[in-house]
Amino acid sequence: MKISKLVQDIPPSGIRVFFELVLGMKDVISLGVGEPDFVTPWNIREKAIFSLEEGYTSYTSNKGMIELRREISRYLKNKYGMDYDPEEEILVTVGVSEGFDLAIRAITDRGDKVLIQEPTYVSYGPVATICGGRPVPVKTEPQNGFKITPGGIIGACDKKTKAIVLNYPNNPTGNSYSKKELKAIAAVVAKKNLTMVSDEIYCDLTYDFDHTPFPTLPGMKQRTIYLNGFSKAFAMTGWRIGYACGPKDVIAAMTKVHQYTMMCVPITSQMAAIEALKNGERSVAEMKREYKRRREFVISRLNEIGLCCHKPEGAFYAFPSIKKTGLSSLEFSSRLLKQEKVAVVPGTAFGASGEGYVRISYATGFDKLKEAMVRMERFLKSYIT
Amino acid sequence: MNEILEILEKDARTTPEEIARMTGIAPAAVRKEIKKLEKDGVILKYKAIVNKEISREDDSGVRALIEVRITPQKNLGFEHVAERIYQFPEVTSCYLMSGAYDLLVVVEGKSIHTVSNFVAEKLSPMENVRGTVTHFILKKYKEDGDILKQPERSKRPAITL
């Protein structure tokens, strides 16, 4: 079949081969997983099962069940002081993935440029391309903790620049932004008349300071499409459910696309999400405490065995430098996998500026983390002298 | 709650050095705190949780919950009787309860016979014990927060972005 030029032109992922290698190998300790190792808390699963028994199997409102949108609104208000009208400013999406796609479709005209911090989560660029936009990577520097700076944004802007994508706490670096840093970014966003698409899926996993949602910054609510979901904090990746919040015109535009392409999010996931927001707080706090301990452990061990690593402020990733070994990210990851059966993700999976780094996920039990560090230490001894 | 305790309650094998890394507390301070907890009796002992449902060692014996009604003694309340009961090595747990009976005693024995003998010969004849009701446990599903099943394999793919 003839494939469209647009899709043909999207380059295939360069590390697919490495992925196949990992998936084909047995007894690997994987530090390469981008999702929680916890199973969804039982009360949430039980609620979903019960809803099926009760016969909740229909479509819902395109925007998502109003009960759920009210819960989302209440949750954002209580936790972050955000103010979104459940009727017109919230849309329930199939994860942040769909939310992001809808956001870009809703605001991008052919040729519009979308700024994307790099290293970056893998989807943003290709989605921008599919939507007819032009992704523009904004390189970040390790000495700034891989954070985007106002100067970096200004340098990457031209007349065609429409929007900027921010993801914090960040996948893959684990970094986040303080309120002060965000204010500086907000000033540039306003000055350059940009729309902010803020992916804050890891916000509940912020360890060292309070997370500041971008729309809560002065003047930013009107400029921001806020994306969040249930995957990370509530360990609900497979349920595929998230939400987008924003000014009502943009939510209406996104809803228009969503109703024609997706119709609505599966009702079972919506029922589960209501339970998560109503009664999930304790589980989230427990998981967060556990992640924080693992973070301390992993960062301290990584630095000890010779992989220099800043302390990430959130999510469940560490992003250490492997430059001392003289290997490329891909070589390092492949050899580590073959020699010691430990899987990490080469930094280049997240853009060219990830070269010299690997992503380590600590969403794995302590026993495995300890063993993985022992193996990595042994591996490194043959490269670092 | 004391974070060191929380970590040890999850895995008693965690070393003071590992706890130090997890919490940012100095290793010496962790060791000192653990010593203190042990000395104060907050940490009683460290032991493995054995799943007797699958260990099959000596067919793992039988366990019974026994409701015991007792007449409290003047000035001593229930303490004295409870002590006389829990000293028996067959008794694995002993609780003072509110409600229809007074003590809940968990007894472990080789066979139904051993447990019955214990109730008939030791427990029931005891002074101040007014009556007992014995419930044999058929199967344990979960104990002290641990589900008694073989650990399941992770269902996550080994690598995702």
Side-chain angles (χ1 to χ4, degrees):
Chain A
M1 206 176 286
K2 173 128 177 26
I3 305 301
S4 78
K5 187 155 181 338
L6 185 73
V7 174
Q8 270 189 52
D9 287 352
I10 297 169
S13 168
I15 59 154
R16 200 62 241 172
V17 180
F18 174 71
F19 272 42
E20 297 300 333
L21 202 63
V22 175
L23 294 170
M25 226 161 149
K26 272 190 178 161
D27 304 320
V28 171
I29 296 184
S30 183
L31 307 180
V33 189
E35 62 176 320
D37 56 316
F38 301 104
V39 176
T40 308
W42 174 246
N43 63 311
I44 299 172
R45 286 186 280 156
E46 202 274 340
K47 179 73 188 200
I49 295 166
F50 186 58
S51 78
L52 286 171
E53 284 174 344
E54 277 191 308
Y56 283 99
T57 59
S58 61
Y59 294 132
T60 70
S61 144
N62 292 127
K63 282 182 183 171
M65 298 167 75
I66 185 64
E67 297 89 328
L68 175 55
R69 283 182 279 141
R70 284 197 189 114
E71 283 302 326
I72 292 168
S73 173
R74 190 188 56 83
Y75 178 79
L76 294 176
K77 176 98 192 160
N78 291 347
K79 190 143 189 180
Y80 297 113
M82 299 163 84
D83 217 346
Y84 282 107
D85 173 10
E87 301 284 347
E88 292 189 302
E89 296 178 325
I90 297 175
L91 169 65
V92 180
T93 61
V94 179
V96 168
S97 298
E98 193 214 356
F100 182 76
D101 182 32
L102 295 174
I104 299 297
R105 280 177 201 272
I107 60 172
T108 313
D109 282 313
R110 185 157 296 278
D112 282 347
K113 289 183 179 170
V114 178
L115 305 186
I116 295 165
Q117 67 185 124
E118 207 189 87
T120 171
Y121 177 61
V122 291
S123 298
Y124 305 137
V127 167
T129 305
I130 291 167
C131 298
R134 285 161 63 191
V136 178
V138 182
K139 293 214 165 67
T140 58
E141 301 297 330
Q143 58 269 26
N144 297 333
F146 290 109
K147 294 182 194 185
I148 210 164
T149 59
I153 298 172
I154 292 169
C157 273
D158 62 22
K159 279 182 294 187
K160 294 292 283 176
T161 309
K162 187 74 170 278
I164 173 169
V165 180
L166 208 56
N167 165 222
Y168 67 99
N170 184 265
N171 177 8
T173 68
N175 275 331
S176 195
Y177 296 82
S178 67
K179 190 167 191 173
K180 195 176 153 209
E181 291 168 323
L182 289 168
K183 273 187 172 164
I185 293 172
V188 178
V189 167
K191 192 173 155 207
K192 293 287 176 182
N193 196 22
L194 301 176
T195 296
M196 169 62 77
V197 179
S198 193
D199 174 355
E200 302 181 26
I201 185 69
Y202 291 99
C203 65
D204 288 333
L205 302 177
T206 302
Y207 307 112
D208 301 323
F209 46 77
D210 289 337
H211 177 86
T212 306
F214 205 81
T216 62
L217 297 162
M220 285 301 116
K221 191 185 166 194
Q222 285 314 306
R223 292 189 168 275
T224 305
I225 303 176
Y226 171 83
L227 304 175
N228 202 344
F230 298 84
S231 295
K232 313 297 178 175
F234 295 97
M236 290 176 69
T237 48
W239 301 80
R240 308 308 308 123
I241 182 163
Y243 49 90
C245 305
K248 71 178 183 189
D249 56 344
V250 76
I251 291 298
M254 288 167 69
T255 304
K256 197 158 42 166
V257 180
H258 173 77
Q259 82 183 37
Y260 291 130
T261 54
M262 196 62 66
M263 193 99 96
C264 69
V265 171
I267 190 168
T268 314
S269 298
Q270 295 194 49
M271 297 299 278
I274 292 172
E275 173 66 17
L277 292 176
K278 277 186 173 163
N279 299 309
E281 207 171 340
R282 201 184 128 189
S283 307
V284 174
E286 244 169 60
M287 291 188 272
K288 181 177 164 183
R289 279 211 306 281
E290 185 66 24
Y291 286 134
K292 180 163 189 279
R293 263 179 225 141
R294 294 176 186 175
R295 174 186 74 149
E296 307 295 327
F297 178 81
V298 166
I299 301 305
S300 139
R301 283 289 278 143
L302 285 174
N303 283 307
E304 186 181 62
I305 66 179
L307 292 185
C308 173
C309 188
H310 65 88
K311 195 187 222 178
E313 289 122 345
F316 35 63
Y317 306 111
F319 203 62
S321 165
I322 51 125
K323 288 177 184 162
K324 273 193 201 165
T325 62
L327 300 173
S328 74
S329 298
L330 187 56
E331 262 177 317
F332 177 94
S333 308
S334 305
R335 291 191 194 187
L336 179 63
L337 180 68
K338 284 176 193 155
Q339 267 175 252
E340 295 287 353
K341 293 196 164 189
V342 174
V344 299
V345 179
T348 43
F350 308 98
S353 50
E355 184 55 270
Y357 295 84
V358 295
R359 189 192 75 176
I360 285 177
S361 160
Y362 52 85
T364 289
F366 257 115
D367 284 348
K368 286 188 181 158
L369 287 175
K370 283 182 207 168
E371 174 60 21
M373 290 301 139
V374 170
R375 292 188 192 183
M376 286 180 76
E377 184 167 25
R378 195 161 54 208
F379 174 79
L380 284 163
K381 282 202 175 125
S382 48
Y383 292 97
I384 305 177
T385 40
Chain B
M1 186 188 170
N2 186 324
E3 197 173 11
I4 296 173
L5 271 184
E6 197 184 326
I7 292 169
L8 286 174
E9 273 200 283
K10 279 192 179 159
D11 184 356
R13 296 169 309 165
T14 316
T15 65
E17 288 67 31
E18 286 164 352
I19 296 174
R21 281 186 205 278
M22 292 176 194
T23 56
I25 306 170
V30 174
R31 274 191 291 271
K32 197 174 155 202
E33 174 69 10
I34 293 175
K35 277 265 159 8
K36 186 174 182 304
L37 290 165
E38 288 168 350
K39 188 166 155 274
D40 294 349
V42 178
I43 296 177
L44 274 177
K45 62 159 86 173
Y46 304 87
K47 57 184 189 178
I49 298 165
V50 176
N51 185 357
K52 290 185 179 161
E53 296 293 314
I54 58 170
S55 74
R56 305 235 184 279
E57 275 298 302
D58 50 352
D59 254 350
S60 69
V62 295
R63 282 163 293 275
L65 299 182
I66 305 170
E67 301 171 3
V68 184
R69 286 186 300 124
I70 55 188
T71 316
Q73 290 170 289
K74 211 168 191 180
N75 301 327
L76 292 169
F78 295 104
E79 299 297 309
H80 186 61
V81 189
E83 195 181 330
R84 286 195 62 176
I85 293 174
Y86 69 61
Q87 297 277 4
F88 284 105
E90 292 91 333
V91 174
T92 57
S93 307
C94 182
Y95 311 95
L96 179 63
M97 311 292 291
S98 67
Y101 55 95
D102 306 302
L103 292 182
L104 179 63
V105 178
V106 184
V107 173
E108 209 172 296
K110 273 211 165 63
S111 64
I112 290 190
H113 203 66
T114 355
V115 174
S116 314
N117 275 352
F118 175 79
V119 177
E121 288 167 22
K122 306 279 195 249
L123 202 54
S124 297
M126 209 178 271
E127 209 183 338
N128 303 315
V129 168
R130 287 191 289 139
T132 63
V133 180
T134 303
H135 308 271
F136 283 99
I137 294 172
L138 301 181
K139 181 169 180 171
K140 280 191 196 175
Y141 295 103
K142 186 176 183 181
E143 196 163 55
D144 291 335
D146 293 299
I147 293 170
L148 303 177
K149 264 208 277 191
Q150 252 161 339
E152 282 176 24
R153 290 193 52 172
S154 166
K155 296 180 176 74
R156 294 187 300 175
I159 194 160
T160 46
L161 296 169

